Amino acid sequence: MVEEPWKAAKDVNALEASTSRPPVGRPLIISGDPLASLRYRGAAVSSNTALGRLLRESPRAIAELHEQEIALGIDVVRALTSATTTRALAPIGMAFRAAALTGTAVELATEAAGAATRRVAVAGILGHTAAAPMADRIAEDYAVHAARLAAAGCEILVACGFDPAQAACVAPAVARLARRAAVVSASTTQLATWALVELDGLGRTADGEGLEEVARGALDSGADALLFEVASVDLGLNVLRRLEGIAHEAQVGVLLSAEPAAGGSERFASAELCDAWAASAVRLIEAGARMLGGGTGTTLAHLGALAKMLRTTQRAPLLRRAL
């Protein structure tokens, strides 16, 4: 039997990225908001629909984004597969290209990861489509997409159900069903399954589910790790504190959103804002976050600020502990 190339890798941290539980040492760094990052690079994208079109018409722009993210030191690159579901592509008449574009999105991420001098894992996004499936088709839609992501070569599936804005427009029971169906569909593939949950300022989901309840539901549905997207470092610290009791069951990570730049343009976020975001991210790492990434509004500039800060203050001692 031919051994998979990654099994010979010397980078223990990255090797662990493709398994169910991240390493005990330093945290894994995850890529940021793709829409914000692409706008930062000058692309005119504002939605998953536009992202699906960009995958079809300008795949090189996506490849360059992944290459830059990896150059900044991320351990897990997120393939842009929230834009490649049948329903997400339907508004632009490309629903029939869902399988092909899913493969393209994963291939672009995989090629960028493969060109790196260290081990980088590829995660597929299962959910976050702006067009919610019909209630009676939720499980089927997620199962189909999960199978496509696995076949395309993803190592991790990030299961997240509906986009928060969409979740607020449907019955709470339907939004919760979607979140659990995404996790179940992902775990059925036998790939590492990370449940991603966006929280409001009160630490609840858009459909009103509380932190501990949503965490327990994700674990019971098959999640190996939990990711929470938060708008502030204080909320992130609160999440880590409240979930200390489940540390023996799953690793907990945080995606920290960015403060909007003056004028509302992420492309021109100041160095001061990016440095402040990175400092907050480091606080979450010090508080025990096992995975740390960029939430809504984060760009390559934010990742760059974090990379610089970790390089000078955190990454070396954390890596020594990992080894």
PDB file of all heavy atoms in Angstrom, residues 225-258:
ATOM      1  N   ALA A 225     -14.287  18.873  16.905  1.00  0.00           N
ATOM      2  CA  ALA A 225     -13.778  20.128  17.443  1.00  0.00           C
ATOM      3  C   ALA A 225     -14.836  21.202  17.249  1.00  0.00           C
ATOM      4  O   ALA A 225     -15.711  21.078  16.390  1.00  0.00           O
ATOM      5  CB  ALA A 225     -12.471  20.527  16.757  1.00  0.00           C
ATOM      6  N   LEU A 226     -14.744  22.267  18.060  1.00  0.00           N
ATOM      7  CA  LEU A 226     -15.722  23.343  18.015  1.00  0.00           C
ATOM      8  C   LEU A 226     -15.040  24.663  17.706  1.00  0.00           C
ATOM      9  O   LEU A 226     -14.040  25.016  18.344  1.00  0.00           O
ATOM     10  CB  LEU A 226     -16.449  23.454  19.363  1.00  0.00           C
ATOM     11  CG  LEU A 226     -17.135  22.190  19.888  1.00  0.00           C
ATOM     12  CD1 LEU A 226     -17.672  22.447  21.297  1.00  0.00           C
ATOM     13  CD2 LEU A 226     -18.260  21.766  18.959  1.00  0.00           C
ATOM     14  N   LEU A 227     -15.592  25.386  16.741  1.00  0.00           N
ATOM     15  CA  LEU A 227     -15.111  26.722  16.393  1.00  0.00           C
ATOM     16  C   LEU A 227     -16.243  27.717  16.627  1.00  0.00           C
ATOM     17  O   LEU A 227     -17.359  27.489  16.156  1.00  0.00           O
ATOM     18  CB  LEU A 227     -14.698  26.788  14.922  1.00  0.00           C
ATOM     19  CG  LEU A 227     -13.319  26.295  14.509  1.00  0.00           C
ATOM     20  CD1 LEU A 227     -13.213  26.303  12.985  1.00  0.00           C
ATOM     21  CD2 LEU A 227     -12.229  27.154  15.118  1.00  0.00           C
ATOM     22  N   PHE A 228     -15.938  28.812  17.303  1.00  0.00           N
ATOM     23  CA  PHE A 228     -16.948  29.834  17.538  1.00  0.00           C
ATOM     24  C   PHE A 228     -16.483  31.149  16.936  1.00  0.00           C
ATOM     25  O   PHE A 228     -15.391  31.623  17.252  1.00  0.00           O
ATOM     26  CB  PHE A 228     -17.214  29.992  19.034  1.00  0.00           C
ATOM     27  CG  PHE A 228     -17.858  28.782  19.652  1.00  0.00           C
ATOM     28  CD1 PHE A 228     -17.084  27.777  20.209  1.00  0.00           C
ATOM     29  CD2 PHE A 228     -19.234  28.640  19.625  1.00  0.00           C
ATOM     30  CE1 PHE A 228     -17.676  26.645  20.761  1.00  0.00           C
ATOM     31  CE2 PHE A 228     -19.843  27.509  20.172  1.00  0.00           C
ATOM     32  CZ  PHE A 228     -19.062  26.514  20.737  1.00  0.00           C
ATOM     33  N   GLU A 229     -17.314  31.721  16.064  1.00  0.00           N
ATOM     34  CA  GLU A 229     -16.991  33.028  15.512  1.00  0.00           C
ATOM     35  C   GLU A 229     -17.594  34.095  16.414  1.00  0.00           C
ATOM     36  O   GLU A 229     -18.803  34.088  16.694  1.00  0.00           O
ATOM     37  CB  GLU A 229     -17.509  33.186  14.090  1.00  0.00           C
ATOM     38  CG  GLU A 229     -17.144  34.543  13.501  1.00  0.00           C
ATOM     39  CD  GLU A 229     -17.329  34.634  12.006  1.00  0.00           C
ATOM     40  OE1 GLU A 229     -17.469  33.578  11.346  1.00  0.00           O
ATOM     41  OE2 GLU A 229     -17.331  35.769  11.480  1.00  0.00           O
ATOM     42  N   VAL A 230     -16.755  35.027  16.848  1.00  0.00           N
ATOM     43  CA  VAL A 230     -17.178  36.059  17.795  1.00  0.00           C
ATOM     44  C   VAL A 230     -16.750  37.425  17.287  1.00  0.00           C
ATOM     45  O   VAL A 230     -15.786  37.564  16.542  1.00  0.00           O
ATOM     46  CB  VAL A 230     -16.585  35.810  19.194  1.00  0.00           C
ATOM     47  CG1 VAL A 230     -17.052  34.469  19.750  1.00  0.00           C
ATOM     48  CG2 VAL A 230     -15.056  35.869  19.159  1.00  0.00           C
ATOM     49  N   ALA A 231     -17.471  38.444  17.742  1.00  0.00           N
ATOM     50  CA  ALA A 231     -17.199  39.804  17.294  1.00  0.00           C
ATOM     51  C   ALA A 231     -16.241  40.546  18.208  1.00  0.00           C
ATOM     52  O   ALA A 231     -15.774  41.629  17.859  1.00  0.00           O
ATOM     53  CB  ALA A 231     -18.505  40.580  17.166  1.00  0.00           C
ATOM     54  N   SER A 232     -15.943  39.997  19.374  1.00  0.00           N
ATOM     55  CA  SER A 232     -15.059  40.691  20.313  1.00  0.00           C
ATOM     56  C   SER A 232     -14.195  39.700  21.063  1.00  0.00           C
ATOM     57  O   SER A 232     -14.581  38.537  21.264  1.00  0.00           O
ATOM     58  CB  SER A 232     -15.873  41.517  21.308  1.00  0.00           C
ATOM     59  OG  SER A 232     -16.554  40.673  22.229  1.00  0.00           O
ATOM     60  N   VAL A 233     -13.042  40.173  21.502  1.00  0.00           N
ATOM     61  CA  VAL A 233     -12.151  39.311  22.259  1.00  0.00           C
ATOM     62  C   VAL A 233     -12.772  38.947  23.597  1.00  0.00           C
ATOM     63  O   VAL A 233     -12.598  37.821  24.092  1.00  0.00           O
ATOM     64  CB  VAL A 233     -10.773  39.989  22.447  1.00  0.00           C
ATOM     65  CG1 VAL A 233     -10.888  41.268  23.267  1.00  0.00           C
ATOM     66  CG2 VAL A 233      -9.783  39.031  23.100  1.00  0.00           C
ATOM     67  N   ASP A 234     -13.542  39.854  24.197  1.00  0.00           N
ATOM     68  CA  ASP A 234     -14.163  39.549  25.487  1.00  0.00           C
ATOM     69  C   ASP A 234     -15.139  38.381  25.368  1.00  0.00           C
ATOM     70  O   ASP A 234     -15.194  37.512  26.245  1.00  0.00           O
ATOM     71  CB  ASP A 234     -14.888  40.785  26.029  1.00  0.00           C
ATOM     72  CG  ASP A 234     -13.919  41.859  26.502  1.00  0.00           C
ATOM     73  OD1 ASP A 234     -12.759  41.521  26.785  1.00  0.00           O
ATOM     74  OD2 ASP A 234     -14.320  43.031  26.566  1.00  0.00           O
ATOM     75  N   LEU A 235     -15.903  38.363  24.282  1.00  0.00           N
ATOM     76  CA  LEU A 235     -16.821  37.247  24.078  1.00  0.00           C
ATOM     77  C   LEU A 235     -16.041  35.960  23.850  1.00  0.00           C
ATOM     78  O   LEU A 235     -16.404  34.902  24.364  1.00  0.00           O
ATOM     79  CB  LEU A 235     -17.751  37.521  22.898  1.00  0.00           C
ATOM     80  CG  LEU A 235     -18.747  36.405  22.544  1.00  0.00           C
ATOM     81  CD1 LEU A 235     -19.595  36.031  23.752  1.00  0.00           C
ATOM     82  CD2 LEU A 235     -19.641  36.836  21.377  1.00  0.00           C
ATOM     83  N   GLY A 236     -14.959  36.039  23.079  1.00  0.00           N
ATOM     84  CA  GLY A 236     -14.137  34.863  22.856  1.00  0.00           C
ATOM     85  C   GLY A 236     -13.563  34.310  24.144  1.00  0.00           C
ATOM     86  O   GLY A 236     -13.559  33.087  24.374  1.00  0.00           O
ATOM     87  N   LEU A 237     -13.090  35.193  25.014  1.00  0.00           N
ATOM     88  CA  LEU A 237     -12.559  34.760  26.304  1.00  0.00           C
ATOM     89  C   LEU A 237     -13.647  34.118  27.154  1.00  0.00           C
ATOM     90  O   LEU A 237     -13.408  33.124  27.851  1.00  0.00           O
ATOM     91  CB  LEU A 237     -11.946  35.955  27.038  1.00  0.00           C
ATOM     92  CG  LEU A 237     -10.689  36.555  26.402  1.00  0.00           C
ATOM     93  CD1 LEU A 237     -10.311  37.862  27.106  1.00  0.00           C
ATOM     94  CD2 LEU A 237      -9.531  35.577  26.429  1.00  0.00           C
ATOM     95  N   ASN A 238     -14.845  34.656  27.077  1.00  0.00           N
ATOM     96  CA  ASN A 238     -15.972  34.098  27.823  1.00  0.00           C
ATOM     97  C   ASN A 238     -16.321  32.705  27.311  1.00  0.00           C
ATOM     98  O   ASN A 238     -16.608  31.794  28.099  1.00  0.00           O
ATOM     99  CB  ASN A 238     -17.173  35.031  27.702  1.00  0.00           C
ATOM    100  CG  ASN A 238     -18.339  34.584  28.576  1.00  0.00           C
ATOM    101  OD1 ASN A 238     -18.159  34.172  29.711  1.00  0.00           O
ATOM    102  ND2 ASN A 238     -19.545  34.673  28.033  1.00  0.00           N
ATOM    103  N   VAL A 239     -16.291  32.529  25.990  1.00  0.00           N
ATOM    104  CA  VAL A 239     -16.565  31.218  25.402  1.00  0.00           C
ATOM    105  C   VAL A 239     -15.558  30.188  25.910  1.00  0.00           C
ATOM    106  O   VAL A 239     -15.929  29.083  26.346  1.00  0.00           O
ATOM    107  CB  VAL A 239     -16.512  31.300  23.866  1.00  0.00           C
ATOM    108  CG1 VAL A 239     -16.462  29.894  23.249  1.00  0.00           C
ATOM    109  CG2 VAL A 239     -17.713  32.059  23.321  1.00  0.00           C
ATOM    110  N   LEU A 240     -14.295  30.529  25.856  1.00  0.00           N
ATOM    111  CA  LEU A 240     -13.250  29.598  26.293  1.00  0.00           C
ATOM    112  C   LEU A 240     -13.406  29.251  27.773  1.00  0.00           C
ATOM    113  O   LEU A 240     -13.222  28.095  28.173  1.00  0.00           O
ATOM    114  CB  LEU A 240     -11.873  30.205  26.031  1.00  0.00           C
ATOM    115  CG  LEU A 240     -11.508  30.406  24.555  1.00  0.00           C
ATOM    116  CD1 LEU A 240     -10.222  31.205  24.434  1.00  0.00           C
ATOM    117  CD2 LEU A 240     -11.376  29.065  23.840  1.00  0.00           C
ATOM    118  N   ARG A 241     -13.770  30.231  28.561  1.00  0.00           N
ATOM    119  CA  ARG A 241     -13.943  30.001  29.997  1.00  0.00           C
ATOM    120  C   ARG A 241     -15.140  29.088  30.267  1.00  0.00           C
ATOM    121  O   ARG A 241     -15.053  28.145  31.076  1.00  0.00           O
ATOM    122  CB  ARG A 241     -14.115  31.340  30.706  1.00  0.00           C
ATOM    123  CG  ARG A 241     -14.223  31.245  32.222  1.00  0.00           C
ATOM    124  CD  ARG A 241     -14.079  32.612  32.872  1.00  0.00           C
ATOM    125  NE  ARG A 241     -15.017  33.587  32.308  1.00  0.00           N
ATOM    126  CZ  ARG A 241     -14.660  34.603  31.516  1.00  0.00           C
ATOM    127  NH1 ARG A 241     -13.392  34.738  31.162  1.00  0.00           N
ATOM    128  NH2 ARG A 241     -15.551  35.456  31.058  1.00  0.00           N
ATOM    129  N   ARG A 242     -16.246  29.356  29.589  1.00  0.00           N
ATOM    130  CA  ARG A 242     -17.464  28.584  29.841  1.00  0.00           C
ATOM    131  C   ARG A 242     -17.384  27.152  29.323  1.00  0.00           C
ATOM    132  O   ARG A 242     -18.098  26.270  29.809  1.00  0.00           O
ATOM    133  CB  ARG A 242     -18.660  29.302  29.211  1.00  0.00           C
ATOM    134  CG  ARG A 242     -19.048  30.572  29.954  1.00  0.00           C
ATOM    135  CD  ARG A 242     -20.025  31.423  29.178  1.00  0.00           C
ATOM    136  NE  ARG A 242     -21.294  30.729  28.914  1.00  0.00           N
ATOM    137  CZ  ARG A 242     -22.286  31.270  28.209  1.00  0.00           C
ATOM    138  NH1 ARG A 242     -22.144  32.492  27.688  1.00  0.00           N
ATOM    139  NH2 ARG A 242     -23.406  30.603  28.024  1.00  0.00           N
ATOM    140  N   LEU A 243     -16.515  26.914  28.353  1.00  0.00           N
ATOM    141  CA  LEU A 243     -16.430  25.570  27.777  1.00  0.00           C
ATOM    142  C   LEU A 243     -15.219  24.781  28.282  1.00  0.00           C
ATOM    143  O   LEU A 243     -14.872  23.755  27.700  1.00  0.00           O
ATOM    144  CB  LEU A 243     -16.400  25.657  26.250  1.00  0.00           C
ATOM    145  CG  LEU A 243     -17.670  26.202  25.596  1.00  0.00           C
ATOM    146  CD1 LEU A 243     -17.555  26.151  24.074  1.00  0.00           C
ATOM    147  CD2 LEU A 243     -18.908  25.421  26.039  1.00  0.00           C
ATOM    148  N   GLU A 244     -14.599  25.252  29.338  1.00  0.00           N
ATOM    149  CA  GLU A 244     -13.453  24.524  29.885  1.00  0.00           C
ATOM    150  C   GLU A 244     -13.821  23.092  30.254  1.00  0.00           C
ATOM    151  O   GLU A 244     -13.003  22.180  30.155  1.00  0.00           O
ATOM    152  CB  GLU A 244     -12.920  25.249  31.125  1.00  0.00           C
ATOM    153  CG  GLU A 244     -12.125  26.501  30.813  1.00  0.00           C
ATOM    154  CD  GLU A 244     -11.611  27.169  32.080  1.00  0.00           C
ATOM    155  OE1 GLU A 244     -12.060  26.756  33.178  1.00  0.00           O
ATOM    156  OE2 GLU A 244     -10.796  28.092  31.969  1.00  0.00           O
ATOM    157  N   GLY A 245     -15.073  22.882  30.636  1.00  0.00           N
ATOM    158  CA  GLY A 245     -15.502  21.563  31.086  1.00  0.00           C
ATOM    159  C   GLY A 245     -15.569  20.504  30.005  1.00  0.00           C
ATOM    160  O   GLY A 245     -15.637  19.310  30.314  1.00  0.00           O
ATOM    161  N   ILE A 246     -15.553  20.923  28.715  1.00  0.00           N
ATOM    162  CA  ILE A 246     -15.619  19.914  27.654  1.00  0.00           C
ATOM    163  C   ILE A 246     -14.277  19.717  26.967  1.00  0.00           C
ATOM    164  O   ILE A 246     -14.191  19.069  25.921  1.00  0.00           O
ATOM    165  CB  ILE A 246     -16.681  20.285  26.594  1.00  0.00           C
ATOM    166  CG1 ILE A 246     -16.258  21.542  25.823  1.00  0.00           C
ATOM    167  CG2 ILE A 246     -18.050  20.456  27.223  1.00  0.00           C
ATOM    168  CD1 ILE A 246     -17.088  21.780  24.587  1.00  0.00           C
ATOM    169  N   ALA A 247     -13.216  20.267  27.562  1.00  0.00           N
ATOM    170  CA  ALA A 247     -11.890  20.179  26.940  1.00  0.00           C
ATOM    171  C   ALA A 247     -11.451  18.734  26.731  1.00  0.00           C
ATOM    172  O   ALA A 247     -10.658  18.444  25.839  1.00  0.00           O
ATOM    173  CB  ALA A 247     -10.865  20.931  27.786  1.00  0.00           C
ATOM    174  N   HIS A 248     -11.959  17.815  27.564  1.00  0.00           N
ATOM    175  CA  HIS A 248     -11.578  16.414  27.413  1.00  0.00           C
ATOM    176  C   HIS A 248     -12.310  15.744  26.260  1.00  0.00           C
ATOM    177  O   HIS A 248     -11.931  14.650  25.828  1.00  0.00           O
ATOM    178  CB  HIS A 248     -11.880  15.658  28.711  1.00  0.00           C
ATOM    179  CG  HIS A 248     -13.334  15.566  29.039  1.00  0.00           C
ATOM    180  ND1 HIS A 248     -14.058  16.660  29.485  1.00  0.00           N
ATOM    181  CD2 HIS A 248     -14.222  14.531  28.969  1.00  0.00           C
ATOM    182  CE1 HIS A 248     -15.306  16.294  29.688  1.00  0.00           C
ATOM    183  NE2 HIS A 248     -15.444  15.013  29.380  1.00  0.00           N
ATOM    184  N   GLU A 249     -13.370  16.391  25.745  1.00  0.00           N
ATOM    185  CA  GLU A 249     -14.160  15.816  24.659  1.00  0.00           C
ATOM    186  C   GLU A 249     -13.787  16.385  23.289  1.00  0.00           C
ATOM    187  O   GLU A 249     -13.859  15.691  22.282  1.00  0.00           O
ATOM    188  CB  GLU A 249     -15.651  16.077  24.901  1.00  0.00           C
ATOM    189  CG  GLU A 249     -16.213  15.399  26.125  1.00  0.00           C
ATOM    190  CD  GLU A 249     -17.695  15.672  26.273  1.00  0.00           C
ATOM    191  OE1 GLU A 249     -18.474  15.206  25.416  1.00  0.00           O
ATOM    192  OE2 GLU A 249     -18.077  16.365  27.236  1.00  0.00           O
ATOM    193  N   ALA A 250     -13.431  17.640  23.231  1.00  0.00           N
ATOM    194  CA  ALA A 250     -13.142  18.281  21.948  1.00  0.00           C
ATOM    195  C   ALA A 250     -12.307  19.525  22.165  1.00  0.00           C
ATOM    196  O   ALA A 250     -12.384  20.168  23.222  1.00  0.00           O
ATOM    197  CB  ALA A 250     -14.446  18.653  21.231  1.00  0.00           C
ATOM    198  N   GLN A 251     -11.512  19.873  21.159  1.00  0.00           N
ATOM    199  CA  GLN A 251     -10.764  21.116  21.190  1.00  0.00           C
ATOM    200  C   GLN A 251     -11.697  22.269  20.823  1.00  0.00           C
ATOM    201  O   GLN A 251     -12.624  22.100  20.039  1.00  0.00           O
ATOM    202  CB  GLN A 251      -9.602  21.048  20.201  1.00  0.00           C
ATOM    203  CG  GLN A 251      -8.645  19.883  20.433  1.00  0.00           C
ATOM    204  CD  GLN A 251      -7.708  20.111  21.614  1.00  0.00           C
ATOM    205  OE1 GLN A 251      -7.767  21.156  22.261  1.00  0.00           O
ATOM    206  NE2 GLN A 251      -6.859  19.147  21.895  1.00  0.00           N
ATOM    207  N   VAL A 252     -11.438  23.426  21.391  1.00  0.00           N
ATOM    208  CA  VAL A 252     -12.265  24.603  21.148  1.00  0.00           C
ATOM    209  C   VAL A 252     -11.406  25.694  20.529  1.00  0.00           C
ATOM    210  O   VAL A 252     -10.305  25.988  21.011  1.00  0.00           O
ATOM    211  CB  VAL A 252     -12.910  25.117  22.456  1.00  0.00           C
ATOM    212  CG1 VAL A 252     -13.745  26.367  22.177  1.00  0.00           C
ATOM    213  CG2 VAL A 252     -13.773  24.025  23.084  1.00  0.00           C
ATOM    214  N   GLY A 253     -11.908  26.295  19.455  1.00  0.00           N
ATOM    215  CA  GLY A 253     -11.185  27.368  18.787  1.00  0.00           C
ATOM    216  C   GLY A 253     -12.079  28.570  18.552  1.00  0.00           C
ATOM    217  O   GLY A 253     -13.296  28.515  18.762  1.00  0.00           O
ATOM    218  N   VAL A 254     -11.468  29.663  18.116  1.00  0.00           N
ATOM    219  CA  VAL A 254     -12.185  30.922  17.927  1.00  0.00           C
ATOM    220  C   VAL A 254     -11.812  31.541  16.582  1.00  0.00           C
ATOM    221  O   VAL A 254     -10.637  31.564  16.210  1.00  0.00           O
ATOM    222  CB  VAL A 254     -11.854  31.923  19.058  1.00  0.00           C
ATOM    223  CG1 VAL A 254     -12.576  33.253  18.825  1.00  0.00           C
ATOM    224  CG2 VAL A 254     -12.219  31.347  20.423  1.00  0.00           C
ATOM    225  N   LEU A 255     -12.827  32.045  15.882  1.00  0.00           N
ATOM    226  CA  LEU A 255     -12.616  32.915  14.726  1.00  0.00           C
ATOM    227  C   LEU A 255     -13.003  34.315  15.184  1.00  0.00           C
ATOM    228  O   LEU A 255     -14.151  34.559  15.545  1.00  0.00           O
ATOM    229  CB  LEU A 255     -13.491  32.487  13.537  1.00  0.00           C
ATOM    230  CG  LEU A 255     -13.272  31.080  12.986  1.00  0.00           C
ATOM    231  CD1 LEU A 255     -14.139  30.868  11.741  1.00  0.00           C
ATOM    232  CD2 LEU A 255     -11.801  30.834  12.649  1.00  0.00           C
ATOM    233  N   LEU A 256     -12.048  35.214  15.184  1.00  0.00           N
ATOM    234  CA  LEU A 256     -12.278  36.564  15.694  1.00  0.00           C
ATOM    235  C   LEU A 256     -12.557  37.516  14.538  1.00  0.00           C
ATOM    236  O   LEU A 256     -11.720  37.684  13.643  1.00  0.00           O
ATOM    237  CB  LEU A 256     -11.059  37.036  16.479  1.00  0.00           C
ATOM    238  CG  LEU A 256     -11.141  38.438  17.090  1.00  0.00           C
ATOM    239  CD1 LEU A 256     -12.278  38.520  18.107  1.00  0.00           C
ATOM    240  CD2 LEU A 256      -9.799  38.812  17.739  1.00  0.00           C
ATOM    241  N   SER A 257     -13.737  38.123  14.559  1.00  0.00           N
ATOM    242  CA  SER A 257     -14.094  39.080  13.509  1.00  0.00           C
ATOM    243  C   SER A 257     -13.306  40.371  13.683  1.00  0.00           C
ATOM    244  O   SER A 257     -12.749  40.648  14.743  1.00  0.00           O
ATOM    245  CB  SER A 257     -15.598  39.368  13.552  1.00  0.00           C
ATOM    246  OG  SER A 257     -16.335  38.186  13.295  1.00  0.00           O
ATOM    247  N   ALA A 258     -13.280  41.166  12.612  1.00  0.00           N
ATOM    248  CA  ALA A 258     -12.507  42.400  12.631  1.00  0.00           C
ATOM    249  C   ALA A 258     -13.407  43.607  12.802  1.00  0.00           C
ATOM    250  O   ALA A 258     -14.549  43.628  12.316  1.00  0.00           O
ATOM    251  CB  ALA A 258     -11.711  42.538  11.335  1.00  0.00           C
TER     252      ALA A 258
END
